[in-house]
Coordinates of all heavy atoms in Angstrom, one line a residue:
G619 N 53.2 10.2 18.9 CA 51.9 9.5 18.7 C 51.9 8.3 17.7 O 51.0 7.5 17.8
M620 N 52.9 8.4 16.8 CA 53.0 7.2 15.9 C 53.8 6.1 16.6 O 54.6 6.4 17.5 CB 53.6 7.7 14.6 CG 55.0 8.1 14.6 SD 55.9 8.3 13.0 CE 54.7 9.0 12.0
T621 N 53.7 4.9 16.1 CA 54.5 3.8 16.5 C 55.8 3.8 15.7 O 55.8 4.3 14.5 CB 53.8 2.5 16.5 OG1 53.6 2.1 15.1 CG2 52.5 2.5 17.2
T622 N 56.8 3.1 16.2 CA 58.0 2.9 15.4 C 57.7 2.0 14.2 O 58.4 2.0 13.2 CB 59.2 2.4 16.2 OG1 58.8 1.2 16.9 CG2 59.6 3.4 17.2
Y623 N 56.6 1.1 14.3 CA 56.2 0.3 13.2 C 55.7 1.2 12.1 O 56.0 1.0 10.9 CB 55.2 -0.7 13.6 CG 54.6 -1.5 12.4 CD1 55.3 -2.6 12.0 CD2 53.4 -1.2 11.8 CE1 54.9 -3.4 10.9 CE2 52.9 -1.9 10.7 CZ 53.7 -3.0 10.3 OH 53.2 -3.8 9.2
D624 N 54.8 2.2 12.5 CA 54.3 3.2 11.5 C 55.4 3.8 10.7 O 55.4 4.0 9.5 CB 53.5 4.3 12.2 CG 52.2 3.8 12.9 OD1 51.7 2.8 12.5 OD2 51.8 4.4 13.9
L625 N 56.4 4.3 11.5 CA 57.6 5.0 10.8 C 58.3 4.0 9.9 O 58.7 4.4 8.8 CB 58.5 5.5 11.9 CG 59.7 6.4 11.4 CD1 59.2 7.6 10.7 CD2 60.6 6.8 12.6
D626 N 58.5 2.8 10.3 CA 59.2 1.8 9.4 C 58.4 1.6 8.1 O 59.0 1.5 7.1 CB 59.3 0.5 10.2 CG 60.2 -0.5 9.4 OD1 61.4 -0.3 9.4 OD2 59.6 -1.4 8.7
Q627 N 57.0 1.6 8.2 CA 56.2 1.4 7.0 C 56.3 2.6 6.1 O 56.5 2.4 4.9 CB 54.7 1.2 7.4 CG 54.5 -0.2 8.1 CD 54.9 -1.3 7.3 OE1 55.9 -2.0 7.6 NE2 54.2 -1.6 6.2
Y648 N 67.7 -9.3 9.4 CA 67.0 -8.1 10.0 C 65.6 -7.9 9.4 O 65.4 -7.9 8.2 CB 67.9 -6.8 9.7 CG 67.3 -5.6 10.4 CD1 67.5 -5.4 11.8 CD2 66.6 -4.7 9.7 CE1 66.9 -4.4 12.4 CE2 66.0 -3.6 10.4 CZ 66.2 -3.4 11.7 OH 65.6 -2.4 12.4
P649 N 64.6 -7.7 10.3 CA 63.2 -7.8 9.9 C 62.6 -6.4 9.5 O 61.5 -6.4 9.1 CB 62.5 -8.3 11.1 CG 63.3 -7.9 12.3 CD 64.7 -7.8 11.8
G650 N 63.3 -5.3 9.6 CA 62.7 -4.0 9.4 C 63.2 -3.4 8.0 O 64.2 -3.9 7.5
N651 N 62.5 -2.4 7.6 CA 62.9 -1.6 6.4 C 64.1 -0.7 6.7 O 65.0 -0.5 5.9 CB 61.8 -0.7 5.9 CG 60.6 -1.5 5.3 OD1 60.9 -2.4 4.5 ND2 59.4 -1.2 5.7
I652 N 64.1 -0.1 7.9 CA 65.2 0.7 8.4 C 65.4 0.4 9.9 O 64.7 -0.4 10.5 CB 64.8 2.2 8.3 CG1 63.6 2.6 9.2 CG2 64.6 2.6 6.9 CD1 63.4 4.1 9.4
C653 N 66.4 1.0 10.5 CA 66.6 0.9 12.0 C 66.1 2.1 12.6 O 66.4 3.2 12.2 CB 68.0 0.7 12.3 SG 68.8 -0.8 11.6
I654 N 65.3 1.9 13.7 CA 64.7 3.1 14.5 C 65.1 2.9 15.9 O 64.6 1.9 16.5 CB 63.2 3.1 14.3 CG1 62.8 3.1 12.8 CG2 62.6 4.3 15.1 CD1 61.3 2.9 12.5
S655 N 65.9 3.8 16.5 CA 66.4 3.6 17.8 C 66.0 4.8 18.7 O 66.4 5.9 18.4 CB 67.9 3.3 17.8 OG 68.2 2.3 16.9
V656 N 65.2 4.6 19.7 CA 64.6 5.6 20.5 C 65.4 5.7 21.9 O 65.6 4.7 22.5 CB 63.1 5.4 20.8 CG1 62.5 6.5 21.6 CG2 62.4 5.1 19.5
E659 N 68.0 3.4 23.2 CA 68.4 2.5 22.2 C 69.5 3.2 21.3 O 69.3 4.3 20.9 CB 67.2 2.1 21.3 CG 66.1 1.4 22.1 CD 64.8 1.2 21.4 OE1 64.6 1.8 20.3 OE2 63.9 0.6 22.0
H662 N 70.1 -0.3 15.6 CA 69.4 -1.5 15.2 C 68.1 -1.8 15.8 O 67.6 -2.9 15.9 CB 70.4 -2.7 15.5 CG 71.7 -2.6 14.7 ND1 72.8 -3.4 15.0 CD2 72.1 -1.7 13.8 CE1 73.8 -3.1 14.2 NE2 73.4 -2.1 13.5
G663 N 67.4 -0.7 16.3 CA 66.0 -0.9 16.8 C 65.1 -1.3 15.7 O 65.2 -0.8 14.6
I664 N 64.2 -2.2 16.0 CA 63.2 -2.7 15.0 C 61.9 -2.0 15.2 O 61.4 -2.0 16.4 CB 63.1 -4.2 15.2 CG1 64.4 -4.9 15.1 CG2 62.1 -4.7 14.1 CD1 64.4 -6.3 15.6
G665 N 61.2 -1.5 14.2 CA 59.9 -0.9 14.3 C 59.0 -1.9 15.0 O 58.9 -3.1 14.7
S666 N 58.2 -1.3 16.0 CA 57.3 -2.2 16.8 C 55.9 -1.5 16.9 O 55.8 -0.3 17.1 CB 57.9 -2.3 18.2 OG 56.9 -2.7 19.1
R667 N 54.9 -2.3 16.7 CA 53.5 -1.8 16.8 C 53.2 -1.3 18.2 O 52.2 -0.6 18.4 CB 52.5 -2.9 16.4 CG 52.5 -3.2 15.0 CD 51.4 -4.3 14.7 NE 51.1 -4.5 13.3 CZ 51.8 -5.3 12.5 NH1 52.8 -6.0 12.9 NH2 51.4 -5.4 11.2
S668 N 53.9 -1.7 19.2 CA 53.6 -1.3 20.6 C 54.5 -0.2 21.1 O 54.4 0.2 22.3 CB 53.7 -2.6 21.5 OG 55.0 -3.1 21.5
R669 N 55.5 0.2 20.3 CA 56.4 1.3 20.7 C 55.9 2.6 20.2 O 56.1 2.9 19.0 CB 57.8 1.0 20.3 CG 58.8 2.0 20.7 CD 59.0 2.0 22.2 NE 59.7 3.2 22.8 CZ 61.0 3.2 23.2 NH1 61.7 2.1 23.1 NH2 61.5 4.2 23.7
F670 N 55.3 3.4 21.0 CA 54.9 4.8 20.6 C 55.9 5.8 20.8 O 56.6 5.9 21.8 CB 53.6 5.2 21.4 CG 52.4 4.4 20.9 CD1 52.1 3.1 21.5 CD2 51.5 4.9 20.0 CE1 51.0 2.4 21.0 CE2 50.4 4.2 19.6 CZ 50.1 3.0 20.1
I671 N 56.1 6.6 19.8 CA 57.1 7.7 19.9 C 56.4 8.8 20.6 O 55.2 9.1 20.4 CB 57.5 8.2 18.4 CG1 58.3 7.1 17.8 CG2 58.3 9.5 18.5 CD1 58.6 7.3 16.3
E802 N 69.4 -6.5 23.3 CA 68.2 -7.0 23.8 C 67.9 -8.5 23.3 O 68.5 -8.9 22.4 CB 67.0 -6.2 23.3 CG 67.0 -4.9 24.0 CD 65.5 -4.3 24.0 OE1 64.7 -4.8 23.2 OE2 65.2 -3.5 24.9
D804 N 65.7 -9.6 21.5 CA 65.3 -9.7 20.1 C 66.5 -10.0 19.2 O 66.4 -10.2 18.0 CB 64.5 -8.5 19.7 CG 65.3 -7.2 19.6 OD1 66.6 -7.2 19.7 OD2 64.7 -6.1 19.5
T807 N 68.3 -5.1 18.9 CA 68.3 -3.7 19.5 C 69.4 -3.6 20.5 O 69.5 -4.3 21.5 CB 66.9 -3.5 20.3 OG1 65.9 -3.9 19.4 CG2 66.8 -2.0 20.7
R809 N 71.1 -1.3 23.4 CA 70.7 -0.3 24.4 C 71.9 0.1 25.3 O 72.8 -0.7 25.5 CB 69.7 -0.8 25.3 CG 68.3 -0.8 24.8 CD 67.3 -1.3 26.0 NE 66.0 -1.5 25.5 CZ 65.1 -0.6 25.4 NH1 65.3 0.7 25.9 NH2 63.9 -0.9 24.9

Side-chain angles (χ1 to χ4, degrees):
M620 65 168 39
T621 67
T622 55
Y623 177 82
D624 297 331
L625 185 59
D626 186 78
Q627 291 302 108
Y648 183 76
N651 290 315
I652 62 166
C653 300
I654 305 167
S655 309
V656 183
E659 295 169 357
H662 302 169
I664 304 164
S666 159
R667 288 181 167 88
S668 58
R669 180 69 193 256
F670 286 84
I671 295 170
E802 285 207 342
D804 67 15
T807 312
R809 277 186 192 270

